[in-house]
Amino acid sequence: MSVPVFEEYEPAIDCGCAGCAVRRRSAARALPVRRGGHPAAHGARRALVLATAAGVVLSCGAAGAAAAAGHAPGVPRADDGADPEPSAAHPQGEKGPLRGTSASGPPSAGAAAPKTTRAAIIDRAQRWVNAKVPYSMEKYWSDGYRQDCSGYVSMAWNLGTNEWTGSLAAYGTRIARADLQPGDILLFHNPADPAKGSHVTIFGGWANSSRTQYVAYEQARPRTRKQSTPLAYWNNSDRYVAYRYKGVTGGSPGAGSSTAFPGTKQFGPGANNTYVTQLGQMLVQRGGKRFYAVGPGPVWGTADKRATQAFQQAQGWKGKEADGLPGPHTWRLLTSGGGRDIPAAGTGGSPNTAVAFPGRGYFKPGQSNSHVDRLGKQLVKKGYGKHYASGPGPLWTEADRRNVEACQPWARWNASTLRRSASDAHDVTERKGTGNR
């Protein structure tokens, strides 16, 4: 009697994903053990059954370890219902041109990266999610890009070539994870064995307020997915590096963001919403990072107003057109990547160092905020920091009070003195008005 051939039995014994575990268990239960026949056939079947059973045990152990690490229960599912944690191995093809298209070859050495916007990157990434492009390191989608993880990023970044994890970094600039914005990538390339663990995902925005989860666009088995993922990934997390595409321009879309102007009521004192965060992120991208000691965040603050005003003034606007409150025109330029960027500090064209006095309530015992930190740094810069044993910092202390007192020859607490210290000796007052820029 011949040994049965199990043509569809393919789950890997050492793979800990839930899909392979289920297939191993099913295969183990389905294997026939018949009486009679040649002893050699019995031995072969027995060995196959034992090997399958061992795989089931191993898979249970792996699943248990994943659950202990917090990966199994409660993890958000992928949009397509697939297992949320893909295999550790992501085989991929090599660097090469597009396949089956008339697109030009790879850019020449030193050529500038093709320009694109964050909105365009996310839009292209979503197309494959919608099309449910199957994973393959050998096949190419209708747009000419290889259907693996690096081909997916090559497509989203519109590179015009099929790159791999060993070459994608050359098209980006390394950034801190805290600076991630939609359209950036998280890349792990294993030079010792590229086929072992190397992978890349597209950052689509933060999935929670603690920034421990993010929305990942990725090409993984069985098809393109978009899902909440632990930062930076399910495995090899500490080895992933964040990169920003060198050719990216314009604003920063994200989960819940929009290119349509949300209305003037979403901005200004008292505003607390995702549009304020989106505005701040776009302004940072356009040269306004120096205005934010912390953030950007959802609560409207002086930094948002100053950065908005700097952007408006960079366009040549004046008066109510540059009042620091975004209108439809400001929003359109930011989301589309149009207009002029905010000039660097000291080059003119923006309120580089001036800041409106936030109020005496920020400077008293128990207060901790960016205004205290900024005030302390300006005091040190002006030579009035001798009472700091450490710092300065955001928490108001007796050292802050004594240093402020030292910089006041008349030893009197008033808003004018604080304003001069906090804004590097530039007295300004907040402009009022609701211009439509």
Side-chain angles (χ1 to χ4, degrees):
M1 181 181 293
S2 61
V3 179
V5 178
F6 299 96
E7 295 179 339
E8 296 182 359
Y9 178 68
E10 62 177 9
I13 289 179
D14 59 350
C15 179
C17 79
C20 283
V22 171
R23 288 194 294 272
R24 280 192 293 267
R25 295 189 187 98
S26 299
R29 288 192 294 267
L31 288 173
V33 181
R34 298 178 181 177
R35 302 292 181 183
H38 195 279
H42 287 309
R45 284 195 297 271
R46 179 180 177 83
L48 186 56
V49 170
L50 290 175
T52 305
V56 173
V57 173
L58 288 173
S59 71
C60 291
H71 292 166
V75 175
R77 301 295 296 180
D79 286 352
D80 56 14
D83 182 64
E85 181 177 356
S87 169
H90 299 275
Q92 58 186 309
E94 299 178 351
K95 178 177 178 178
L98 299 188
R99 187 69 61 87
T101 71
S102 58
S104 59
S108 59
K115 297 295 183 182
T116 189
T117 65
R118 295 187 179 280
I121 292 173
I122 297 301
D123 179 65
R124 285 192 291 269
Q126 184 64 41
R127 290 178 195 172
W128 275 30
V129 174
N130 295 341
K132 298 182 179 180
V133 177
Y135 180 92
S136 175
M137 61 177 288
E138 299 172 343
K139 296 180 179 180
Y140 295 78
W141 196 237
S142 57
D143 52 17
Y145 288 95
R146 194 176 54 245
Q147 295 167 211
D148 57 19
C149 62
S150 49
Y152 181 49
V153 171
S154 300
M155 178 276 300
W157 278 6
N158 200 28
L159 298 183
T161 56
N162 279 291
E163 302 298 322
W164 71 305
T165 54
S167 61
L168 279 171
Y171 291 85
T173 301
R174 186 168 180 169
I175 60 173
R177 290 184 180 182
D179 294 332
L180 279 164
Q181 296 184 46
D184 298 336
I185 63 171
L186 285 158
L187 171 68
F188 166 44
H189 176 66
N190 184 3
D193 187 353
K196 226 174 186 182
S198 296
H199 191 45
V200 61
T201 68
I202 299 172
F203 181 85
W206 297 108
N208 59 7
S209 58
S210 59
R211 297 192 172 189
T212 59
Q213 299 260 341
Y214 71 103
V215 177
Y217 291 81
E218 62 175 324
Q219 183 68 357
R221 295 186 181 94
R223 60 184 66 88
T224 318
R225 65 177 77 201
K226 171 189 175 184
Q227 66 177 18
S228 179
T229 302
L231 188 68
Y233 204 63
W234 307 94
N235 41 51
N236 298 308
S237 179
D238 59 334
R239 303 179 69 179
Y240 277 75
V241 179
Y243 287 94
R244 176 161 298 153
Y245 177 50
K246 291 179 179 178
V248 72
T249 62
S252 172
S257 66
S258 173
T259 57
F261 181 59
T264 56
K265 293 182 179 179
Q266 303 295 337
F267 307 100
N272 184 345
N273 55 70
T274 57
Y275 295 110
V276 175
T277 303
Q278 185 184 357
L279 172 70
Q281 291 174 340
M282 292 190 293
L283 289 167
V284 167
Q285 181 66 24
R286 299 300 297 273
K289 185 175 182 178
R290 68 178 180 274
F291 295 102
Y292 292 89
V294 294
V299 179
W300 178 270
T302 303
D304 298 297
K305 179 172 183 177
R306 292 174 58 223
T308 302
Q309 189 174 43
F311 179 76
Q312 292 169 334
Q313 291 182 347
Q315 314 313 311
W317 305 341
K318 299 178 180 179
K320 290 185 177 181
E321 292 184 339
D323 60 4
L325 294 172
H329 196 179
T330 300
W331 191 261
R332 180 180 62 80
L333 291 178
L334 287 171
T335 56
S336 66
R340 303 182 186 90
D341 289 347
I342 299 172
T347 60
S350 66
N352 295 308
T353 54
V355 57
F357 178 56
R360 293 177 60 178
Y362 286 90
F363 308 97
K364 62 182 181 180
Q367 290 296 308
S368 179
N369 53 73
S370 61
H371 300 296
V372 174
D373 184 52
R374 178 181 172 86
L375 171 64
K377 290 176 180 177
Q378 290 298 328
L379 287 168
V380 171
K381 183 178 178 180
K382 297 299 181 183
Y384 297 101
K386 66 178 182 179
H387 294 292
Y388 288 120
S390 61
L395 179 65
W396 179 264
T397 66
E398 178 63 14
D400 294 293
R401 189 198 66 78
R402 294 179 67 184
N403 285 329
V404 171
E405 186 177 47
C407 85
Q408 298 171 326
W410 50 92
R412 184 180 62 182
W413 179 274
N414 58 54
S416 177
T417 300
L418 275 175
R419 183 164 58 247
R420 283 197 298 272
S421 299
S423 64
D424 196 15
H426 288 274
D427 289 331
V428 297
T429 57
E430 285 189 304
R431 293 182 176 90
K432 297 183 178 181
T434 55
N436 60 6
R437 290 289 187 180

